């Protein structure tokens, strides 16, 4: 696995179970769960923005 510069999500706070993100050289965003660090998901920045935006809008409306 490439050596990415992983950062813990700001939403994880001090929790030990968190989502980590990294920007890959090809411009995709890599995501992983700290509990399962060998499983990495690659998404485009636009897809990640759309996903986060959808989650935020649903949380405001109460689903």
């Amino acid at each position: 696995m490439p050596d990415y510069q992983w950062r813990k999500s700001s939403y994880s706070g001090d929790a030990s179970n968190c989502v980590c993100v990294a920007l890959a050289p090809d411009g995709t965003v890599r995501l992983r769960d700290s509990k399962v660090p060998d499983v990495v998901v690659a998404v485009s920045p636009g897809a990640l923005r759309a996903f986060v935006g959808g989650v935020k809008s649903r949380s405001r409306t109460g689903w």
Side-chain angles (χ1 to χ4, degrees):
M1 181 184 313
D3 188 26
Y4 297 118
Q5 297 288 331
W6 293 103
R7 294 182 305 169
K8 184 172 74 166
S9 168
S10 61
Y11 291 100
S12 297
D14 292 331
S16 60
N17 299 327
C18 58
V19 174
C20 299
V21 296
L23 182 61
D26 65 0
T28 60
V29 178
R30 305 301 166 106
L31 305 166
R32 72 179 183 183
D33 184 327
S34 63
K35 295 177 295 211
V36 190
D38 292 336
V39 177
V40 177
V41 176
V43 297
S44 71
L48 183 57
R49 273 191 301 277
F51 174 76
V52 171
V55 170
K56 284 182 178 182
S57 69
R58 286 192 177 100
S59 68
R60 280 184 240 131
T61 61
W63 295 81

